[in-house]
Amino acid sequence: MKDLCVIGVGYVGLVTAAGFADLGNRVTALDINEERVRNLRKGILPIYEPGLEEVVRRNVQAGRLAFTTSYDEALSKAEFAFIAVGTPEGVDGEADLRYVRDAAESIARSMQGPLIVINKSTVPVGTGDWVSEIIRSHLPKPLRFAVVSCPEFLREGSALADFLNPARTVLGSMDHEAAEKVAQLHIPLRAPIVITDLRTAEMIKYASNAFLATKISFINEIANICEALGADVKEVATGMGYDPRIGRQFLEAGIGYGGSCFPKDVKALAHMASVQGRNPQLLQAVMDINEDRMRMVLEHIESLSGPFGRKDIGLLGLAFKPNTDDIREAPALKIAGLLLGRGAAVRAYDPVAMDAAARALPTLRMCPDPYALAEGADALVVVTDWNEFKQLDLSRIHKLMRTPNLIDGRNIYEPEEMKAIGFRYRGIGRGYDGSDAAAKRPADKARPR
Ligand SMILES: NC(=O)c1ccc[n+]([C@@H]2O[C@H](COP(=O)([O-])OP(=O)(O)OC[C@H]3O[C@@H](n4cnc5c(N)ncnc54)[C@H](O)[C@@H]3O)[C@@H](O)[C@H]2O)c1
């Protein structure tokens, strides 16, 4: 059993704290947000994450997990301090490191003995050295410490499961002994552990996220071409995905990537490259393609339902992906903003993200369920592929709508089945699958002679 402190109790920090406590360690989780800490002490979590509430409760009751706003208290016995504060997008796409700097300064002022500082926040290459320097320069008296990079790869929506079953643990440090000690903490997770230097570990995180974003933009580009040529991108992805060199994951054509990580991390990596005089051409294309998805969705909606003025448009889903309430960089909010700007009346339903979305976009009308959303609507747009949307009574939805236009931004329905119900349906990259399908199949024009 080790004494750990986790700094920042958001998606990464709370899962890390609860996860390490569940593995039998004593964890003090710290946040500067007093309301968050007050609520956590009452058992109210600041985020929605499947299974997390139960693990937090169990470990608090067992005395292995506590919450505080005091660095002195959190570091009084800690051998390890995890930094898990936010690193949002700053000026010109550069990562904003102010919370990391504040955390490093506070650690230096409050640490009371030797400490291994483990950085879980996604930070630009070189930040580990900078954090070392900040701690060194703010220490009131000389104390031994080491900085280890341990980038986080969990996915919101399955964060706890990902913590407990990671594909790998990456550790980077200039102090091999410290990295070995952090590796020991991770051994119960039984995943491969890669130990490298600080900068390489920091780069592994950016390269991984940029690669996944590239896969998404790649399949979205293929979807655009499929639409023009009458091929079905879903089947293309399946056919490609059986090749183990390619893999099926992250080949879902749709509205594009969002969330608190991919958009900012791809931008930050491109920024790092540019600052060093490198031209990040591929990353630029990945971002451009993703940006263009908004235009594509609007085109699909307009081509089915006509000009937006006074149209009632319903958005199925607000979270940037299923099983989370996170709406940071959520495509739904961008789409809603664009539609509202063009005179449409927009309403939305999401199983868990409506409160967060209402705070971010107060003019967006919320509906209590998908059927209320459908009532009198001129178009429904699937924005988030929540499982519950796959189980809807679509005949009932069809009857409730004023005009049965269905834009399936996540390809969760089958075009033929939707047409059989009577919808005018448009998926993403699924050939000519709308109600105007009978009009022409462009693939005929492209058939080889
Ligand atoms: N969310 C994800 O899915 C995910 C996945 C992998 C990596 N990451 C990275 O992990 C980091 C954290 O992301 P998140 O989504 O958990 O952020 P978050 O915004 O959900 O949580 C950050 C928390 O840090 C607290 N905080 C800020 N400054 C602090 C300070 N000086 N001392 C103590 N607490 C402080 C905030 O109050 C907040 O509660 C980011 O760098 C992110 O890129 C996130």
Side-chain angles (χ1 to χ4, degrees):
M1 182 194 267
K2 299 283 182 194
D3 278 293
L4 275 51
C5 152
V6 175
I7 298 165
V9 287
Y11 288 88
V12 169
L14 189 54
V15 170
T16 302
F20 275 117
D22 217 39
L23 293 176
N25 300 288
R26 258 189 311 262
V27 182
T28 308
L30 172 146
D31 207 289
I32 47 167
N33 184 328
E34 289 178 8
E35 192 189 344
R36 272 194 174 194
V37 170
R38 234 186 350 262
N39 281 335
L40 278 162
R41 285 177 170 159
K42 287 189 231 153
I44 303 166
L45 269 54
I47 54 166
Y48 172 79
E49 195 56 58
L52 188 58
E53 202 172 301
E54 146 67 11
V55 177
V56 168
R57 190 183 319 118
R58 188 169 65 230
N59 285 283
V60 168
Q61 275 168 7
R64 287 190 300 262
L65 178 60
F67 299 98
T68 183
T69 53
S70 156
Y71 272 88
D72 283 349
E73 185 186 330
L75 290 169
S76 64
K77 294 202 198 94
E79 224 181 300
F80 301 91
F82 288 85
I83 298 180
V85 300
T87 49
E89 187 182 325
V91 186
D92 294 336
E94 189 178 8
D96 180 347
L97 293 178
R98 82 179 81 162
Y99 305 112
V100 175
R101 186 198 53 220
D102 292 351
E105 288 179 7
S106 303
I107 289 172
R109 280 194 288 267
S110 293
M111 61 188 271
Q112 288 150 38
L115 187 68
I116 297 178
V117 177
I118 305 153
N119 188 27
K120 275 210 149 309
S121 298
T122 304
V123 290
V125 177
T127 303
D129 299 327
W130 179 70
V131 165
S132 274
E133 204 33 60
I134 293 174
I135 296 177
R136 200 181 330 278
S137 60
H138 284 78
L139 270 176
K141 58 177 186 232
L143 283 172
R144 264 198 62 203
F145 73 94
V147 174
V148 176
S149 165
C150 174
E152 182 54 63
F153 299 99
L154 62 73
R155 297 162 299 175
E156 284 177 23
S158 56
L160 190 63
D162 290 347
F163 174 89
L164 294 169
N165 302 290
R168 78 302 208 183
T169 298
V170 172
L171 300 173
S173 186
M174 304 320 284
D175 181 332
H176 198 76
E177 198 188 321
E180 283 294 342
K181 284 189 180 162
V182 181
Q184 290 300 319
L185 280 181
H186 289 82
I187 281 184
L189 300 173
R190 292 198 299 263
I193 298 178
V194 178
I195 300 188
T196 179
D197 61 86
L198 254 177
R199 285 172 178 245
T200 305
E202 290 165 344
M203 188 60 171
I204 288 170
K205 173 63 190 174
Y206 279 105
S208 302
N209 272 5
F211 183 76
L212 295 173
T214 302
K215 261 187 121 174
I216 295 172
S217 280
F218 174 83
I219 202 65
N220 280 332
E221 177 134 301
I222 296 296
N224 281 348
I225 304 172
C226 283
E227 272 167 26
L229 295 178
D232 184 337
V233 75
K234 222 171 157 176
E235 289 176 27
V236 170
T238 303
M240 290 170 66
Y242 281 117
D243 185 330
R245 294 169 303 175
I246 298 173
R248 179 66 176 82
Q249 288 188 52
F250 282 78
L251 288 183
E252 301 298 345
I255 291 176
Y257 59 77
S260 69
C261 291
F262 287 0
K264 82 169 169 67
D265 292 349
V266 179
K267 264 189 215 158
L269 182 56
H271 182 269
M272 277 180 255
S274 303
V275 166
Q276 297 302 324
R278 306 296 155 122
N279 182 8
Q281 298 170 69
L282 179 60
L283 300 179
Q284 194 52 54
V286 167
M287 292 187 282
D288 290 346
I289 292 168
N290 200 57
E291 200 58 35
D292 199 41
R293 302 315 284 164
M294 295 300 124
R295 184 192 56 74
M296 178 276 313
V297 182
L298 258 60
E299 259 179 37
H300 276 323
I301 303 172
E302 196 166 25
S303 76
L304 283 189
S305 61
F308 295 121
R310 294 208 298 234
K311 289 277 159 52
D312 277 300
I313 298 175
L315 304 181
L316 274 165
L318 290 164
F320 86 93
K321 68 171 182 176
N323 299 323
T324 180
D325 59 349
D326 199 345
I327 51 144
R328 289 179 282 186
E329 295 287 321
L333 293 189
K334 290 191 190 159
I335 294 169
L338 288 167
L339 288 169
L340 287 166
R342 295 192 192 181
V346 189
R347 38 181 138 150
Y349 166 76
D350 187 285
V352 299
M354 289 199 287
D355 289 347
R359 284 192 294 275
L361 193 56
T363 47
L364 186 58
R365 219 181 91 208
M366 301 299 171
C367 294
D369 59 60
Y371 302 100
L373 182 80
E375 211 168 333
D378 295 298
L380 283 189
V381 188
V382 179
V383 189
T384 315
D385 45 343
W386 281 95
N387 270 340
E388 74 167 66
F389 298 161
K390 298 173 188 165
Q391 319 283 340
L392 294 176
D393 179 347
L394 287 159
S395 301
R396 186 175 158 207
I397 295 267
H398 174 265
K399 282 196 200 93
L400 286 165
M401 292 177 73
R402 181 158 57 205
T403 329
N405 293 313
L406 181 57
I407 295 90
D408 184 359
R410 298 293 179 186
N411 285 343
I412 63 173
Y413 303 124
E414 283 312 312
E416 291 308 320
E417 290 171 19
M418 295 307 108
K419 277 183 263 166
I421 295 172
F423 282 110
R424 300 180 76 227
Y425 173 88
R426 191 57 67 79
I428 304 293
R430 307 207 67 185
Y432 236 68
D433 54 17
S435 61
D436 45 357
K440 58 180 165 82
R441 265 190 80 86
D444 293 343
K445 285 193 265 167
R447 193 166 288 153
R449 276 167 246 188

